[in-house]
Amino acid sequence: MRLKSFLAFGNYSSTLRPCRAFGSTSKFRKVDRQALQQLPSSPARTRFAPSPTGYLHLGSLRTALFNYLLAKATGGQFVLRIEDTDNKRTIPDAEERLYRDLKWAGLQWDEGPDIGGLYGPYKQSERTVLYQEHAQKLLQSGHAYRCFCSSEKLGELARRRASLGLPSDYDRTCDGMPREQSDERASAGDPFVIRLRVPSEPPEYIDLVYGSVGKPNHNKKAQNLGEALYEDPVLLKSDGLPTYHLANVVDDHHMQITHVLRAAEWMSSTPKHLTIYKAFGWKAPEFAHVGLLQDSSRQKFSKRKGDLDIRRFDDQGICPEALLNYVALYGWSHHHKSDVLSLSDLIASFDMKFTKGNTIVQPHKLMYLQKKYAARYADEGGPQFEALVDRVFEAVQQEFEAPSWFPESEYTNPLQGQDLKKQIATVLKYTAKNFTTSREFFDNYKYFFCDLPLPPFRNDSSPRYATIQGFEQNLANIKRSLRGVDTENWTEGNIKEVLLMTAKEFEGFAKLDVDNESDHKDGRQAYKALLWYLRWGIARGGSGPAMYTTMAILGKAVCLQRLEELLDRLESLEGESK
């Protein structure tokens, strides 16, 4: 239903002006900040209300998490609402991506567009009539008025006021229009919007982060954020669709939201929202405005710029629980000795102790948490570890299909005869404490999956004793000894025993104790040199688990093949040195 037909005959008083809101001439009470930081005594109903004009990013994920934690910590409900009234900027797949990304992160809502609930529908595009009905009520009560000014006139007004050094606010031209004239123009089909009549001073309120906001106010930070003068905002546009301000208030009231946790950038809108609550005679929810997340240049993250899109973290193999833990640490303080807090830990310890001001995001902190969670999952070996293996497996397969680390290489095929996913799981078991991203995992340990060439020999990087002369024969003896190990007995322990027992026969290893490989300096250095050659040849010079562990994972056939290649290279290098 179009606005002009639905609201053509709104009965309101054009002369009625609301009184100064919330007792703004009274002395504001002192705020007990410790009390503000306590959880409410009754279950909280919170909501996350994104707009599908962009994808979920790091800042919006934190907003969703804080609202989720408050609801779960108090035994309440977490509501998902889609604010989809901005048709011009809506991205077609943003809504579906939003559902997927929130579920991937581990945040499941109790009510929402896809699962329903007592207070639906949960998409604003399906609630238009409700907003129009409430705009009509504000017209009738005198808290709103029709504005017939064209966009051209408003633009000219803004330019003229700016030239005079004045704010470009609307000058209330239509506020004084007689009721009969407004009704007549609306009935004739003249396009109009509906504006809220605001008080001359912003209303006072308690913010759970910044304390008292409004006059008098001794908190300068809060005053700067929330007390700027503001014009009469548009509530209903000429096409009959609501603006953010009207829809937000109407929805929060009808969905019985008790607490609104949102970014500090919305603090300047709160006085408008409180004025709307007052106009309807409704009780407003509690508000908590947390500082923004900023990059290293102190610019806020934005969904429209694609900053840290949550899908990117998934594609990189970041553990969802690590990411939630990461964003929870920005803007909220806890009492634990460790920053490693699972979602259940966060729920159990959550309170309203938010920090003031914006926060610069530090990527290295995420990598620290990622390693901790990956190591925990590897130790537990449960479904979370399986999910991590699946993500890495997908990334490794993509590297085989479109290699990025060595584009022209002939060595991009996986090793023959291996179960790739099983191999990845085995390597992760030993290396999870260093796991950051799937790509870095593949770059560091690709010798486990690909038939890579031997890297160039660098004598300056080899340890003492690692001269070619003499080691060629020693390695040949090790190869013969390893060939005698049955495939079913190809284990870490057996490989280590062969290396030590065979090495003891070599010159330079005579004083090496088999049971205590670090017993003698010369023996220790010689053994170190042997392992250096083995790592160069078998692990292609890459880092990783202990050498005997690496050989056990690669298997007998691959190790013997690579030892043969190593011996051929040493023979060639020895010939070049003569």
Side-chain angles (χ1 to χ4, degrees):
M1 183 180 297
R2 292 190 60 81
L3 178 63
K4 62 182 181 181
S5 59
F6 188 85
L7 299 172
F9 294 99
N11 181 18
Y12 71 97
S13 171
S14 62
T15 59
L16 178 62
R17 299 290 297 172
C19 64
R20 303 178 79 180
F22 295 84
S24 60
T25 57
S26 64
K27 193 170 183 178
F28 213 62
R29 66 185 182 275
K30 284 188 176 182
V31 176
D32 183 347
R33 295 196 177 278
Q34 288 188 340
L36 295 182
Q37 295 172 355
Q38 301 300 314
L39 291 177
S41 58
S42 57
R45 277 183 61 84
T46 65
R47 48 78 168 171
F48 178 52
S51 169
T53 54
Y55 301 121
L56 191 71
H57 62 84
L58 208 59
S60 52
L61 176 64
R62 186 190 62 160
T63 298
L65 173 63
F66 284 161
N67 281 279
Y68 176 90
L69 292 176
L70 177 56
K72 298 307 172 184
T74 59
Q77 297 82 40
F78 173 60
V79 178
L80 176 63
R81 185 173 76 221
I82 304 298
E83 300 191 341
D84 57 344
T85 57
D86 191 345
N87 295 327
K88 293 181 179 179
R89 292 191 293 119
T90 294
I91 298 176
D93 67 334
E95 184 177 331
E96 291 304 318
R97 277 275 299 273
L98 176 72
Y99 298 147
R100 177 205 174 277
D101 290 343
L102 285 174
K103 289 178 180 178
W104 170 81
L107 301 182
Q108 180 57 57
W109 45 98
D110 300 299
E111 303 170 26
D114 57 334
I115 59 176
L118 295 176
Y119 304 99
Y122 294 90
K123 294 175 66 173
Q124 287 186 342
S125 59
E126 299 172 3
R127 300 168 66 87
T128 303
V129 172
L130 180 66
Y131 307 133
Q132 293 175 342
E133 289 173 349
H134 282 78
Q136 172 79 344
K137 291 180 180 178
L138 292 181
L139 280 176
Q140 292 173 342
S141 66
H143 289 94
Y145 62 92
R146 299 190 189 95
C147 174
F148 296 90
C149 297
S150 66
S151 57
E152 292 79 13
K153 181 177 180 180
L154 293 174
E156 176 59 30
L157 171 65
R159 287 189 293 271
R160 186 170 66 251
R161 289 175 63 86
S163 67
L164 297 174
L166 299 174
S168 58
D169 295 345
Y170 178 57
D171 63 357
R172 291 177 166 172
T173 298
C174 296
D175 184 23
M177 183 180 296
R179 164 187 163 185
E180 294 77 9
Q181 182 182 355
S182 176
D183 288 347
E184 188 175 311
R185 292 189 62 177
S187 179
D190 288 356
F192 63 89
V193 299
I194 294 181
R195 291 182 180 271
L196 175 71
R197 281 197 179 94
V198 300
S200 57
E201 294 183 3
E204 299 169 351
Y205 69 99
I206 298 293
D207 185 272
L208 298 179
V209 178
Y210 289 93
S212 61
V213 181
K215 291 184 179 181
N217 191 337
H218 303 292
N219 186 328
K220 293 183 179 179
K221 181 70 173 178
Q223 186 171 351
N224 290 337
L225 284 171
E227 196 166 299
L229 296 176
Y230 55 96
E231 64 178 341
D232 292 352
V234 174
L235 300 178
L236 214 63
K237 296 177 286 188
S238 59
D239 59 3
L241 294 178
T243 61
Y244 165 77
H245 304 297
L246 177 64
N248 184 277
V249 169
V250 170
D251 287 345
D252 282 350
H253 171 73
H254 283 278
M255 294 180 183
Q256 298 187 14
I257 301 302
T258 62
H259 292 75
V260 174
L261 279 63
R262 58 188 181 188
E265 62 184 325
W266 293 108
M267 202 168 183
S268 60
S269 295
T270 305
K272 303 175 188 179
H273 297 172
L274 290 171
T275 301
I276 299 174
Y277 279 106
K278 182 69 173 180
F280 281 122
W282 295 338
K283 179 182 178 181
E286 300 282 352
F287 288 94
H289 292 90
V290 296
L292 302 177
L293 296 185
Q294 297 179 321
D295 58 23
S296 58
S297 62
R298 294 191 176 275
Q299 298 297 311
K300 77 163 189 170
F301 292 120
S302 170
K303 65 182 178 181
R304 295 183 188 112
K305 293 191 296 184
D307 287 336
L308 297 186
D309 181 353
I310 298 305
R311 176 68 66 86
R312 289 171 52 191
F313 293 101
D314 185 11
D315 293 341
Q316 291 171 3
I318 299 298
C319 301
E321 203 168 13
L323 188 62
L324 285 181
N325 190 165
Y326 177 60
V327 298
L329 299 178
Y330 290 111
W332 174 73
S333 57
H334 61 83
H335 60 273
H336 295 276
K337 293 182 179 179
S338 172
D339 279 342
V340 182
L341 302 171
S342 67
L343 185 56
S344 58
D345 293 332
L346 291 171
I347 294 173
S349 58
F350 189 72
D351 55 22
M352 304 296 284
K353 195 175 181 179
F354 298 109
T355 56
K356 299 177 184 179
N358 300 332
T359 307
I360 296 178
V361 171
Q362 300 173 334
H364 71 271
K365 186 70 173 182
L366 176 58
M367 293 301 101
Y368 166 79
L369 293 169
Q370 173 79 342
K371 293 175 184 178
K372 293 295 185 181
Y373 280 95
R376 177 189 294 181
Y377 298 160
D379 289 342
E380 296 172 350
Q384 291 169 316
F385 180 67
E386 293 176 2
L388 179 59
V389 171
D390 288 341
R391 289 195 294 273
V392 176
F393 174 67
E394 183 179 349
V396 172
Q397 282 189 314
Q398 291 175 354
E399 287 292 339
F400 287 140
E401 295 170 1
S404 58
W405 54 273
F406 202 12
E408 304 298 328
S409 175
E410 59 181 304
Y411 301 98
T412 56
N413 293 321
L415 289 171
Q416 297 298 316
Q418 72 170 343
D419 183 330
L420 182 58
K421 182 177 286 190
K422 183 178 179 181
Q423 187 82 326
I424 289 171
T426 303
V427 176
L428 268 175
K429 280 284 187 180
Y430 288 97
T431 63
K433 65 179 181 180
N434 296 315
F435 181 81
T436 53
T437 66
S438 298
R439 169 65 186 278
E440 187 171 294
F441 172 84
F442 184 67
D443 284 347
N444 290 340
Y445 307 115
K446 53 181 174 281
Y447 61 86
F448 281 110
F449 316 110
C450 305
D451 190 12
L452 300 173
L454 268 170
F457 178 77
R458 292 182 56 193
N459 193 50
D460 60 340
S461 67
S462 61
R464 190 166 71 89
Y465 282 100
T467 57
I468 296 174
Q469 188 176 6
F471 269 85
E472 182 182 351
Q473 181 60 45
N474 295 343
L475 289 168
N477 291 340
I478 286 180
K479 179 186 175 186
R480 282 194 295 271
S481 298
L482 289 173
R483 195 186 297 275
V485 179
D486 295 336
T487 302
E488 57 269 21
N489 293 322
W490 189 265
T491 63
E492 294 178 64
N494 289 336
I495 294 170
K496 183 176 182 180
E497 183 178 357
V498 167
L499 294 181
L500 289 171
M501 292 297 294
T502 308
K504 188 172 174 62
E505 303 172 4
F506 302 158
E507 183 181 354
F509 292 80
K511 296 182 180 180
L512 178 65
D513 188 336
V514 173
D515 297 322
N516 184 7
E517 59 194 71
S518 62
D519 182 60
H520 191 278
K521 181 178 179 181
D522 285 346
R524 183 169 69 251
Q525 291 294 333
Y527 187 62
K528 181 179 179 181
L530 172 65
L531 295 179
W532 183 90
Y533 271 108
L534 289 173
R535 184 163 295 280
W536 177 47
I538 295 177
R540 298 324 201 204
S543 61
M547 199 59 234
Y548 42 84
T549 302
T550 296
M551 295 171 68
I553 295 173
L554 281 168
K556 179 178 179 179
V558 172
C559 289
L560 293 179
Q561 176 190 341
R562 291 184 178 180
L563 270 174
E564 185 65 36
E565 294 174 8
L566 173 60
L567 290 169
D568 290 344
R569 177 66 64 85
L570 290 177
E571 182 179 355
S572 173
L573 290 173
E574 189 174 9
E576 294 174 2
S577 64
K578 292 180 179 179

